[in-house]
Amino acid sequence: MLASEIIKRPIITEKSMLLVEEQNKYTFSVDKRANKVQIKKAVEELFNVKVVKVNVINTTPKKKRVGQHQGFKPELTKAIVTLAKDSKIEIFAA
């Protein structure tokens, strides 16, 4: 898999931005077939940074309903990537 196929998009929420400011951890939505080693290589290749640690979270699809209609929220895989102290990703800077 290519690095651009592994990393789908950054996840920008209040909680993820606090992780960026306080602990230098960045959150991405990733392909569910990718493992930690592939995610680490993809982030280092795309953003030219040094990755220290990768944590992966697999979310299950949750049942939702609106009136008569029911369905599921999508299944997601998130990766929380810890960078070295001198590394920084500029897309998260606002």
Side-chain angles (χ1 to χ4, degrees), residues 23-86:
Q23 300 176 13
N24 205 22
K25 293 183 179 183
Y26 295 84
T27 309
F28 296 98
S29 176
V30 297
D31 191 284
K32 69 183 216 174
R33 297 170 293 171
N35 60 27
K36 290 183 179 187
V37 175
Q38 291 173 329
I39 294 169
K40 178 179 178 177
K41 287 180 183 177
V43 170
E44 288 178 345
E45 181 183 322
L46 288 174
F47 301 109
N48 297 323
V49 293
K50 175 69 176 143
V51 175
V52 176
K53 186 173 156 182
V54 177
N55 293 330
V56 178
I57 302 167
N58 294 311
T59 61
T60 57
K62 295 184 180 162
K63 196 173 192 179
K64 294 293 176 182
R65 83 181 262 150
V66 178
Q68 297 178 5
H69 307 287
Q70 62 184 5
F72 289 91
K73 289 187 83 173
E75 184 176 6
L76 243 176
T77 300
K78 295 189 282 187
I80 300 176
V81 178
T82 305
L83 301 183
K85 290 189 179 189
D86 57 342

